[in-house]
Structures are given as structure tokens and as C-alpha cells.
Amino acid sequence: MKISSLYETLSDGIILLNKEGRVTYANTRVCHMLSLEKKAIAGILVSDFEKKLPKEFRIFMKIFAKCCKEKAIVKDQIVLGNTPSQPQMEIFAIWNKGVIIVLQDKSSYFQHMEMGKDFIANASHEFRTPITIIRGFAETLNDLPNLSKKMIQEITDKIVKTCDRLNKLVKNILVLSDIENLFSSEFQKCDLSVVIAHCKELFSSLHKNATLHVDCDNASIIGDSDLLELALMNLLDNAAKYSQDAPLVTIQLKRKSKEVILTVSDKGIGIPELDIHHVFERFYTVDKARSRKHGGAGLGLSIVKTIVEKHGGEIKVASVLGAGSTFTLSFQSQELDTVTEN
Ligand code: ADP
């Protein structure tokens, strides 16, 4: 196998320069990263090559010269945009009777790091509140030993409820991380009408005052039925949580040619227009007090979205304030005969 065929399979950009600094090879990836045509750089000197690049990329001459002098691996960074604290590309020059330049795109890595930092900040904030509450109650019990039995009962009840909330938060965070690390290759055929039937049973036992209508076609998708159940239960729980007294909820499952459409609608309080684009973000809540009352921390819908996307699907929401909300999930249909072929 030619070494250039190997370079073509890499996700890093590769440029080979001979001792004189002439480009002898550039893989497709590097041309894409630098927005250059392959034939425009073939055989040209590194100095001319650099002239074709925007200012922030003009580092190749420097790194080539240093590598030739030191005959060792030289590393540098390319900072793009106005975020100097975050280099988005890393560049390596490796001496090999000429110079091999390796260009690594680190943008998604840094975005990931930033998202991780945000997540930890939000999660810590959510943990702090229940911990403060539990501590406050424990201090009250300690400072006031002569409290009535009734008061002690009330306080311990509140401690238990707050612990349950903490537990739910930990569970949700673990679920999110588990789903993200899940391999969809382990998915199997799932009959969505069975998933819906399970959820209906569970929902009716949890929300005795609610009415749930189900209108179901037969439809299967490739997926994980436990996760799909978790997603649907989150939507159903929200439909009940964000409704007045007697929640009225409808599930519809329809097959439209190659698509399966699952909708969950309620006649509840609805979502304000300003919030609707944010409800799938982690830790986003419209009314913090109302969410907390039900033990929520704004993770439910982000779990649903992550599950849907793991299944190659899409989720949308439409809502009218004071009139209700509809969540629409679309997946690729998987018919029985297609499954047996696979
Ligand atoms: P939580 O319910 O824990 O606050 P979610 O991620 O499940 O978190 O939902 C995010 C926000 O979206 C909620 O705070 C709520 O305001 C809004 N929301 C979700 N589902 C509904 C619904 N069916 N009706 C009205 N608002 C909803």
C-alpha cells in the first residue's frame, strides 16, 4: 500500500515538504482545512504556499525552519477568531529527511471542554441548593431539641423529599452520560406500540387524576426500548406536571411512508415564546420554583432529545401559552420484513 493512501484515511491534515521546503504531498483533509485546491499547492515552495493563506495560518515557514534546524518534533498552535485563550488547531512538524507537517483541528475538542465546564457549573449549582436545605434542617433539629413530634416529623419529611430530589438529579446526570456513551450498534427492533402500552400503564398508576388518550398505528424502529420508554415517560410526566388539575394528554403514533411520527400533546399551561427554543438545553427551566416543586432540574427534555438523536431521530415542540404543548418525535421506520433482511 502506498503511504499516501494511508494519509488519505487520516482525520488530520498532512503536508510533506522536502529539504528545500517544496510541497511534495498534501492530503485531501489539509486542503479542506486550509480551503486550498490540491493542485494549487503541489510542488510549490513553503514560502509561496504560505502566501496563499490567511494571516493567522502563516506559521508554516517558521515551523519548517525550526524543524530543519533542530531535526526534532516541533509543535505550535494556530489561534482562530477572537478567542485567543483557545487554540483551535495544533500543528506539528516532524523531521524525516524533509518535514512532515501534521495539522490537527481541535475546535470540537475545545467546544467539548467548554460544554463540560458549563455542565459542571450548572450541576454544582443544582446540587448546592438541596445540600443547603438539608444542612439547614439538620441544624434546626440540633439547635431546637424540644421541638414537637409533629414539627420533627415535618422537618424529617422535608429532608427525605430533598434527598429524593438529589437522588433524581444524580440519576438524571448518570443517565445522560450513559446515553452519550451508548453504541447504537446494540440497538434492536422495537415495536413502539408496546413501548407506548407500557408507558400508558405506568403513567395511569402515577397520575390517577389524568386522562391519557392513545391513537396508535403499528410501527417499529431500530432502537433501545428501555430508552424510548424513558423518553416517552419524561414527556408524559411533563405533560402532567405542566397542566392544571386534571391533565388531558394524547399520544399519537403514525406511520408516514418511511417515517414514524410520535406526538405527545397536552392541554396544559404551555411554554412562553421566549423560552421555547431553550427547553431542550441542559438545566433550562421556565419556572424554577415549579420545576423544583416536582423535583425537576431542567434535565428531562435534554435526556429526551439525546435519546431521540441517538436513534437518528428529531424532536420538535409547538406550544400555545395557556392552551397546551405538542412534542413531535420523528424516526426512520423499520418494517418487519426489512429487519429480517438485515
Ligand atoms: P424540568 O421539568 O425538570 O424543569 P425539563 O427539561 O423536562 O425540565 O423541561 C424544561 C422546561 O420546559 C420546564 O421547566 C418547563 O417549563 C418546560 N416544559 C417541558 N414540558 C412542558 C409541557 N408539556 N408544558 C409546558 N412546559 C413544559
Side-chain angles (χ1 to χ4, degrees):
M1 185 173 73
K2 268 171 66 182
I3 191 86
S4 56
S5 313
L6 181 70
Y7 289 145
E8 280 305 314
T9 65
L10 301 180
S11 57
D12 293 337
I14 304 284
I15 301 170
L16 304 185
L17 300 167
N18 66 13
K19 269 186 283 190
E20 287 77 48
R22 204 170 281 283
V23 177
T24 56
Y25 170 78
N27 71 354
T28 309
R29 175 73 183 133
V30 85
C31 296
H32 188 73
M33 286 162 102
L34 300 173
S35 308
L36 288 174
E37 293 264 340
K38 230 178 198 177
K39 52 180 185 276
I41 53 175
I44 64 172
L45 280 172
V46 64
S47 48
D48 294 328
F49 166 69
E50 208 170 79
K51 281 184 204 141
K52 294 178 185 282
L53 300 172
K55 204 167 75 230
E56 55 276 24
F57 281 101
R58 291 188 192 156
I59 194 170
F60 289 86
M61 283 271 283
K62 187 177 111 190
I63 199 161
F64 170 76
K66 196 162 177 219
C67 185
C68 288
K69 191 169 158 221
E70 294 179 8
K71 302 219 166 9
I73 297 177
V74 180
K75 182 182 166 189
D76 214 324
Q77 290 167 343
I78 296 175
V79 179
L80 302 176
N82 52 4
T83 51
S85 63
Q86 299 165 11
Q88 286 127 332
M89 284 202 195
E90 275 181 355
I91 180 165
F92 297 86
I94 303 151
W95 174 254
N96 183 25
K97 294 181 200 149
V99 174
I100 304 172
I101 304 250
V102 180
L103 204 57
Q104 290 181 340
D105 187 349
K106 292 280 176 180
S107 315
S108 58
Y109 169 75
F110 281 100
Q111 265 167 19
H112 227 81
M113 296 269 284
E114 282 303 305
M115 274 167 63
K117 274 193 226 156
D118 279 356
F119 185 80
I120 289 170
N122 283 322
S124 315
H125 180 77
E126 287 301 325
F127 278 124
R128 206 171 290 139
T129 319
I131 289 171
T132 311
I133 294 173
I134 294 170
R135 191 196 158 102
F137 284 135
E139 279 172 356
T140 312
L141 289 177
N142 191 48
D143 296 347
L144 306 169
N146 298 324
L147 279 175
S148 68
K149 230 178 158 180
K150 187 169 166 267
M151 279 295 283
I152 292 177
Q153 183 65 48
E154 267 176 32
I155 291 177
T156 46
D157 277 354
K158 281 182 181 149
I159 292 179
V160 169
K161 264 200 192 125
T162 314
C163 285
D164 288 346
R165 210 175 101 201
L166 261 179
N167 225 342
K168 189 173 167 191
L169 183 60
V170 172
K171 214 173 111 194
N172 276 343
I173 289 175
L174 291 177
V175 165
L176 254 181
S177 122
D178 281 353
I179 308 166
E180 272 170 358
N181 297 322
L182 190 88
F183 288 109
S184 43
S185 55
E186 286 164 20
F187 286 178
Q188 291 180 347
K189 180 178 70 81
C190 298
D191 184 342
L192 284 181
S193 50
V194 174
V195 171
I196 291 171
H198 281 168
C199 290
K200 185 179 181 200
E201 215 171 289
L202 193 57
F203 180 78
S204 306
S205 67
L206 290 172
H207 304 275
K208 299 243 182 319
N209 60 338
T211 310
L212 176 61
H213 290 299
V214 175
D215 170 15
C216 233
D217 281 354
N218 269 335
S220 300
I221 64 167
I222 291 293
D224 178 312
S225 52
D226 290 341
L227 285 181
L228 292 165
E229 222 171 285
L230 177 67
L232 185 54
M233 273 318 290
N234 268 317
L235 292 175
L236 292 174
D237 277 336
N238 277 353
K241 250 170 32 181
Y242 300 106
S243 287
Q244 315 291 1
D245 318 322
L248 188 59
V249 189
T250 307
I251 302 179
Q252 268 199 334
L253 178 64
K254 295 280 154 210
R255 251 185 25 214
K256 260 196 203 163
S257 62
K258 285 267 167 202
E259 256 194 331
V260 174
I261 314 285
L262 175 67
T263 55
V264 176
S265 328
D266 62 63
K267 302 239 172 282
I269 61 172
I271 303 169
E273 226 179 294
L274 278 176
D275 298 289
I276 202 153
H277 299 296
H278 300 287
V279 290
F280 295 109
E281 290 168 13
R282 288 167 183 192
F283 297 106
Y284 193 88
T285 51
V286 174
D287 176 351
K288 205 140 214 102
R290 189 172 182 134
S291 289
R292 283 215 173 122
K293 201 173 118 210
H294 295 282
L299 285 177
L301 286 182
S302 60
I303 289 179
V304 178
K305 188 171 192 269
T306 313
I307 293 175
V308 171
E309 287 175 352
K310 269 278 159 182
H311 285 78
E314 234 187 79
I315 181 163
K316 286 187 187 142
V317 56
S319 187
V320 178
L321 202 58
S325 311
T326 298
F327 288 85
T328 305
L329 284 57
S330 49
F331 302 98
Q332 238 195 323
S333 145
Q334 185 63 51
E335 295 318 312
L336 285 171
D337 42 345
T338 337
V339 175
T340 19
E341 275 168 27
N342 291 338

